[in-house]
Amino acid sequence: MRLSEKKKCSIAIGPIHPALKEPIQIEVKIEGEKVTDVDFALGHVHRGIEWIGLRRNPLQILYLAERVCGICNISHPLAFCTAIENAANIKVPERAEYLRVIYAELERIHSHLLFLGVAAHELGFDSILHYTWLVREKVLDIIEYLTGNRITKAVLMIGGIRRDITKEQIPKIKETLKYYEKIYKKLCDIFLDDPTIKLRTRDIGVLTKEQALKLCIVGPTARASGVKKDIRQDFPYAAYADLKIEAITPATLLNEIRGDVFDRVIVRLLEVKQSMDIIKRCLKEMPEGPIMYEPVLQKLLVELKQVSNEGVALVEAPRGELIHYIRMKNSEAPVVWKIRAPTYANMHAIPAILKDCQLADVPIVVASIDPCISCANRAIVADKNNIVLNQEKLHELSVKKTLALTKDKVKGEGND
Amino acid sequence: MIEFIYFGLEALIIILLALFIALLFNGIERKLIARMQARIGPPITQPFIDVKKLFIKENIVPDNAIPWIFNAMPLIALASSLLVLLYIPFGGMPALLQNYGDLILVVYIMLIPSLALAIGAFASGSPYASIGAQREIVIMISYEFVLSVIVIAVAWLFSLAFPQANAFSFATINEHAIWSVAGPVGIAGLLLLFISSLAVMPAKIGKLPIDIAEAKTEIADGVLVEYSGRNLALLHMAQATRMFAFASLIVALFLPWNLSNIFSLSGTLALIGDFAFFLAKVFVIMFVSGIFVSAASARLKIDQAAKCYISFIFLLSLIGLMLIGLDIML
């Protein structure tokens, strides 16, 4: 072989690879070190949660929703509750709305700190991984103090929240926030000024604003490219409408937007600060009052059983826009429960941002959209001959299903 | 004949001792890095436990590997890194093989572990290993310039100071501290060379920020990905020894002072004192350029690392060489 001929080689990153925390297969074609083509495949950890949910009543689904994602386990039940509340026209007490915001923002702090550690680890900078995860313990401690659990908090309930934050608990939250104020400065120093981090992340994996808009990218990934979109700002839920949140872009700190990995890291760092401010405001402005719409769960269940309506909820999860759609039809279990996790939208950025990267950039660039694979997984559909159905066939099937559903909706009955 | 056995015995003792110290230093290094990262870290004896465990584990050879190359390379890597230690004077002791080779030979032998690692990786048939091997070769080419400049500078100084002695020989290097033969400008040049030799260290031993050939999160340990069992144990020992050997070389070239001269010790006490002091110096070198840097930096990319060595560090060593040249002309 002549030297001028470049040999193309295909490398599979995943489903099991040290760079990935969850199974996804990213197939990169490389020329030397340069990535020429990228494809990815999902479906390694599909659990059929929606399917299970269609055989449970809403209170039972709440527990399932909490287990969709190990990290966003406030966002998912919050979205589910809001969807059901929208469907059933349940009015949530104001104090509960504020409490929901506090828990959601605590979750955001913990998720973003986790991401910063993972990003550092992908760069080989393990000292920062251990540092960020060490400081993350403090937020997990306060979550445990408030809810009784570090990860699966089980505080949300349809029509309210199950645990109040008492006056005695507030000083401890404030103490934690003060601790993070100090840590935040240090984290900024690390991520903004470290030369090796800058060398590895600046102008790598660039996603332009046009691409972000075209691919419908959501959350911090979109904001890092300069798209000012944030569900908390655009379609406020819970108490966010009172709090007047503004979407954060890298321009807030750096006066320029490049849409690279560095920007995506910085946006998340800035959002940690934003979340701290939101919690502080909530603690100050939170009104007194009940925290549950209906404390007797049997009554609530009976009420939900009467509902024949559909509800959509949009929630800004740490990774971006999370959508839950639910349709009730005078039955115990919902007829449709659909989850669109933010990673499912952001996945489509992967081929675009990996193009023309080096192989060494692949782990950090993939990690920079902060993928949560288990949220995003879809089943691979096969017919009896064990062939994966192609796009046309799937489209045909979904049109049929949609038609059946709309007919169903008009008539108010029919099979599903 | 007796002399030959005696010689072999001595070599064996040095090799076993060096292996022990290299693994011990590796354990201390892991512990120190863990403490820097606010972790508890493994016990200091962890490398010994690892090696012992790996030796009783199954040795898997991939189906599409070339078995004899794949199996031979770890052995060659370990043997060549141990061989270097027979040439380097430990403390005040003259090296065992000092009459059988010189600085140039040692620089060449120190290349062999990297080459063996790369060849073994290519022979394993794994694409991850192939990428790792390519990276290893690229990084080797880029830092080798710097090492050759250092060798030239050292030999130049010694050949002018002692025209009758062999300038490349470790006997000469061991007898005279290099700093004493240079003038003030030359000392500045030597300082630059010392710094550039420290900068080569992470690349030579494959530590962060230049652990590109292994790059756990990118190519899953790259060159080591297919190695297991006995072969991996040998490679672990080779890596540890390589680090120890390179640090010893830097100490022998740039930090040749001994305790016995300062405190006028003699006999066994001088021997032990010098050896302990030598180990302390080696550890300091390892700490400064290996451990501390690797705990405080992200992994560079191959083009960034190569550019850094070929342009920046090479330039630094060239300036050092020029300063030494200036000193000689003055």
Side-chain angles (χ1 to χ4, degrees), chain A residues 47 62-63 65-77 103-104 106-111 114 133 136-156 318-319 372 374:
Chain A
R47 292 164 296 168
L62 195 54
Y63 290 87
E66 193 151 6
R67 281 154 182 81
V68 170
C69 178
I71 298 165
C72 316
N73 44 34
I74 291 286
S75 297
H76 276 281
Y103 288 124
L106 282 174
E107 172 186 274
R108 198 180 313 278
I109 294 178
H110 121 76
S111 172
L114 187 99
W133 284 25
R136 176 175 162 262
E137 286 299 307
K138 262 286 201 281
V139 72
L140 289 178
D141 284 349
I142 199 77
I143 288 171
E144 187 184 14
Y145 176 66
L146 293 176
T147 68
N149 235 337
R150 277 158 58 92
I151 300 296
T152 324
K153 294 116 184 165
V155 284
L156 278 143
R319 284 160 187 73
C372 178
S374 71

Side-chain angles (χ1 to χ4, degrees), chain A residues 129-403:
Chain A
L129 161 76
H130 292 295
Y131 179 71
T132 47
W133 284 25
L134 190 75
V135 300
R136 176 175 162 262
E137 286 299 307
K138 262 286 201 281
V139 72
L140 289 178
D141 284 349
I142 199 77
I143 288 171
E144 187 184 14
Y145 176 66
L146 293 176
T147 68
N149 235 337
R150 277 158 58 92
I151 300 296
T152 324
K153 294 116 184 165
V155 284
L156 278 143
M157 179 47 64
I158 295 162
I161 203 146
R162 288 174 54 191
R163 273 185 189 237
D164 201 355
I165 294 179
T166 57
K167 277 209 175 67
E168 298 81 63
Q169 286 175 318
I170 288 178
K172 199 152 183 190
I173 303 175
K174 284 193 170 147
E175 200 182 294
T176 309
L177 290 176
K178 213 169 268 169
Y179 170 79
Y180 276 111
E181 218 107 291
K182 220 169 60 199
I183 293 304
Y184 176 74
K185 280 200 195 87
K186 206 169 167 187
L187 281 175
C188 274
D189 284 349
I190 292 171
F191 282 97
L192 288 170
D193 298 335
D194 189 276
T196 44
I197 289 184
K198 216 164 208 172
L199 215 55
R200 285 299 308 273
T201 56
R202 248 312 176 206
D203 297 319
I204 304 293
V206 177
L207 183 74
T208 59
K209 192 172 178 180
E210 290 72 43
Q211 277 176 317
L213 286 170
K214 203 175 130 206
L215 292 166
C216 301
I217 306 303
V218 296
T221 314
R223 291 197 280 279
S225 298
V227 184
K228 257 186 155 305
K229 77 174 181 189
D230 190 324
I231 301 301
R232 293 174 294 172
Q233 166 201 292
D234 304 331
F235 306 99
Y237 54 95
Y240 284 114
D242 298 346
L243 296 165
K244 299 274 180 295
I245 312 289
E246 208 179 314
I248 282 188
T249 61
T252 320
L253 188 70
L254 301 168
N255 302 321
E256 59 166 346
I257 296 169
R258 297 199 203 174
D260 52 8
V261 174
F262 187 77
D263 278 354
R264 293 200 269 282
V265 172
I266 292 310
V267 162
R268 289 191 171 94
L269 197 55
L270 290 170
E271 284 188 15
V272 172
K273 176 88 176 120
Q274 189 191 27
S275 295
M276 278 154 40
D277 294 341
I278 293 172
I279 295 172
K280 236 184 272 169
R281 275 193 64 189
C282 282
L283 287 178
K284 212 161 59 188
E285 295 169 15
M286 195 160 52
E288 291 298 322
I291 54 167
M292 284 274 244
Y293 163 75
E294 177 55 77
V296 185
L297 297 182
Q298 279 83 355
K299 270 193 199 168
L300 185 68
L301 263 183
V302 169
E303 191 178 329
L304 288 176
K305 218 173 161 182
Q306 318 293 326
V307 178
S308 181
N309 198 358
E310 60 182 0
V312 186
L314 281 80
V315 163
E316 183 73 20
R319 284 160 187 73
E321 177 195 75
L322 166 70
I323 303 171
H324 273 234
Y325 170 81
I326 196 134
R327 197 137 82 78
M328 306 289 290
K329 206 181 63 187
N330 291 332
S331 60
E332 212 166 322
V335 185
V336 182
W337 178 32
K338 178 79 194 148
I339 306 170
R340 210 293 316 267
T343 304
Y344 192 71
N346 285 345
M347 275 292 164
H348 302 287
I350 287 183
I353 56 180
L354 273 182
K355 200 121 183 84
D356 298 328
C357 274
Q358 285 188 27
L359 182 66
D361 295 326
V362 173
I364 178 65
V365 169
V366 171
S368 74
I369 66 162
D370 201 4
C372 178
I373 315 292
S374 71
C375 290
N377 257 300
R378 293 293 179 271
I380 292 177
V381 186
D383 64 7
K384 278 167 202 151
N385 302 324
N386 214 16
I387 299 163
V388 178
L389 296 178
N390 60 8
Q391 203 180 350
E392 287 82 43
K393 182 83 178 145
L394 278 176
H395 182 246
E396 194 188 306
L397 281 176
S398 52
V399 167
K400 218 192 267 170
K401 175 101 179 178
T402 315
L403 278 176

